[in-house]
């Protein structure tokens, strides 16, 4: 677990900023393509990064998303400031969403973001303090024999 980092990069995400939404995940995709990450892992990381980023745009004030890649694993760490999540098990349920009508009209609010993040990451840790913010820690193993 004390792998030497080969890469670490931070992205800032602004809540409510729908015009820049998706930019952090697009940058992450470009970085992963450049360093030659296996494409099936890249797809999983990009889905998780995009869903995490959109949740900040929709439900938080701001966040830092940090991508770290070591020879064995890739990590996405999201730390946001915002309303937080009072009931995490409920938020993790497929179909649960507090999206507004406006967000739903833009095509968001299917309530599949957190479930898809969980499905795509090898390991997920989520913690939240209502009124303060939410943290997500996602791990993806890069070796074929994934150390679950
Ligand atoms: N970063 C976050 N801050 C506050 N609440 C969040 C955050 N991420 C998710 N949530 C809450 O969890 C719910 C479920 O999230 P998700 O599965 O991504 O569905 P959706 O984005 O479609 O609402 C959201 O509707 C929201 O209430
Ligand atoms: Mg979502």
């Amino acid at each position: 677990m004390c792998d030497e980092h080969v890469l670490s990069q931070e992205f800032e995400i602004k809540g409510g900023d729908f015009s820049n939404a998706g930019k952090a995940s697009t940058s992450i995709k470009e970085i992963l393509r450049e360093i030659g990450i296996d494409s099936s892992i890249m797809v999983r990381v990009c889905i998780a990064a995009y869903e995490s980023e959109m949740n900040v745009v929709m439900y938080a004030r701001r966040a830092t998303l940090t991508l770290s890649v070591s020879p064995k694993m890739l990590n996405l760490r999201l730390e946001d400031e915002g309303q937080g999540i009072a009931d995490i098990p409920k938020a993790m349920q497929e179909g649960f969403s507090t999206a507004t009508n406006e967000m739903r009209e833009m095509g968001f609010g299917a309530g599949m973001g957190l479930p898809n993040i969980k499905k795509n990451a090898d390991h997920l840790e989520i913690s939240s303090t209502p009124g303060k913010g939410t943290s997500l820690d996602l791990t993806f193993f890069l070796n074929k024999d994934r150390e679950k």
Side-chain angles (χ1 to χ4, degrees):
M1 289 289 162
C2 50
D3 281 341
E4 201 185 315
H5 277 180
V6 293
L7 184 151
S8 179
Q9 182 122 12
E10 281 188 5
F11 302 89
E12 290 298 314
I13 303 165
K14 263 197 220 149
D17 186 3
F18 282 89
S19 55
N20 287 303
K23 283 198 176 164
S25 2
T26 301
S27 304
I28 287 172
K29 189 180 199 168
E30 282 161 8
I31 291 170
L32 299 186
R33 190 177 287 139
E34 260 172 48
I35 64 176
I37 294 284
D38 179 82
S39 64
S40 66
I41 294 175
M42 189 170 86
V43 169
R44 291 167 44 221
V45 173
C46 289
I47 291 169
Y50 178 75
E51 293 295 347
S52 309
E53 180 175 9
M54 286 316 304
N55 281 349
V56 173
V57 173
M58 292 196 283
Y59 307 115
R61 211 162 41 244
R62 62 159 298 279
T64 305
L65 177 62
T66 308
L67 166 74
S68 313
V69 189
S70 71
K72 277 193 180 161
M73 63 183 76
L74 186 156
N75 181 264
L76 285 176
R77 178 147 189 95
L78 183 98
E79 298 271 5
D80 82 28
E81 286 166 23
Q83 64 194 27
I85 303 174
D87 187 341
I88 292 177
K90 197 171 178 183
M92 296 297 304
Q93 279 171 22
E94 296 190 358
F96 176 82
S97 177
T98 58
T100 61
N101 287 336
E102 210 182 348
M103 292 169 185
R104 288 171 200 267
E105 275 161 21
M106 287 190 275
F108 302 109
M112 293 304 292
L114 289 173
N116 279 332
I117 292 169
K118 188 178 163 67
K119 252 179 234 163
N120 282 287
D122 288 313
H123 185 72
L124 159 99
E125 261 176 58
I126 178 168
S127 61
S128 189
T129 309
K132 282 197 132 180
T134 301
S135 303
L136 274 182
D137 199 315
L138 310 176
T139 306
F140 301 81
F141 297 117
L142 299 179
N143 291 345
K144 288 270 181 318
D145 47 327
R146 287 158 47 182
E147 324 159 26
K148 286 224 166 171

